[in-house]
Amino acid sequence: MRSADRLPRAALAPALLAVAAATLLAGCGAVGMRLRDALPGASAPASAPAAAASAPAPAASRPAAAVDPVVTAAPASTGPIAPATQRAYDDALALMRAGRAADAERALRALAQSDPDLAGPHANLGVLARQAGRLPEAVKELETATRLAPGLAVAWNQLGLAYRQNGEFTQARDAYGHALAIAPDYATAVLNLGVLEDLYLGDSARALELYTRYLALTPAGDPVVTKWVADVRNRRPAGAAPAASA
């Protein structure tokens, strides 16, 4: 990676937070990772969700959403990132990796105040707030991140999760749609949209289409989602035409 003092803000893409979950419903422990340089709008990683159970889950108890890494980039603005800012940012990520959420939040808030045009601190603040159950705050921070870096599919996906958890299902659908418009093969966003359509919007045909599309994007397979597909098909009304695979 090029040194931070030579990278323009529009090209800087430090990898921030990798959120891992024991189940897809449970609260997440945050860790961090550094990825390759990527301009906003690059394809997001297609990480498979952790399996929540070995047996098919009824629709009412199915995991609510997949969780994926949050990778944010600076907005399209001019001027270099100061080395001190990059170091402070890296230190905040280290606090997140260590599970020191309160300290990480303080560090990210300081960065958001001192350098408010950076999307990264807002995106991570949104994830921390969502993990803590402060959903309106999570939505606000992630909306700010997507406004500052509108080409980041992962930020839109995280905003979709925050909207869904806050009961804003139409907004969640739109946010996932933004993620997929940017990165059509973003498997995690496909899965999250499928779960939204299935459990919250009641569109089984659309959910089946999205689950099938997710499996096509997941070469290693996903036995949990494969069971969800069978469950949705078993719930389809008699005589209904099968949904087309995406």
Side-chain angles (χ1 to χ4, degrees):
M1 181 179 291
R2 294 171 293 175
S3 61
D5 57 338
R6 295 199 303 272
L7 273 176
R9 292 176 186 269
L12 181 65
L16 301 186
L17 169 68
V19 182
T23 71
L24 302 181
L25 274 178
C28 310
V31 297
M33 61 189 296
R34 180 169 290 279
L35 303 179
R36 71 189 188 286
D37 283 359
L39 293 176
S43 295
S47 56
S54 58
S61 61
R62 189 174 301 156
V67 180
D68 60 64
V70 175
V71 182
T72 63
S77 58
T78 58
I81 299 292
T85 298
Q86 182 65 58
R87 286 194 297 271
Y89 195 46
D90 291 341
D91 289 345
L93 300 187
L95 292 170
M96 295 182 78
R97 293 186 197 94
R100 296 169 58 184
D103 292 334
E105 187 171 333
R106 280 191 290 272
L108 289 167
R109 288 195 186 285
L111 277 168
Q113 183 173 5
S114 65
D115 208 339
D117 61 345
L118 291 176
H122 291 288
N124 283 291
L125 285 168
V127 172
L128 288 171
R130 184 168 63 80
Q131 289 176 315
R134 305 192 307 268
L135 298 176
E137 179 185 338
V139 166
K140 179 180 177 182
E141 293 289 357
L142 287 160
E143 285 178 339
T144 299
T146 55
R147 175 177 55 80
L148 291 171
L152 277 171
V154 286
W156 284 106
N157 180 62
Q158 287 292 326
L159 179 56
L161 290 172
Y163 279 140
R164 182 198 58 74
Q165 289 183 315
N166 203 39
E168 299 176 78
F169 302 141
T170 301
Q171 292 91 328
R173 175 192 271 166
D174 291 343
Y176 293 140
H178 276 289
L180 292 172
I182 296 161
D185 293 339
Y186 187 0
T188 305
V190 172
L191 179 57
N192 281 339
L193 182 55
V195 172
L196 180 75
E197 296 285 1
D198 188 4
L199 298 187
Y200 299 92
L201 298 174
D203 190 338
S204 295
R206 177 64 172 149
L208 180 58
E209 176 189 344
L210 289 160
Y211 290 157
T212 304
R213 178 177 166 192
Y214 165 77
L215 290 172
L217 293 168
T218 311
D222 188 322
V224 173
V225 178
T226 298
K227 291 171 182 176
W228 295 356
V229 168
D231 176 54
V232 173
R233 284 177 174 155
N234 289 335
R235 285 191 275 118
R236 292 182 60 78
S245 298

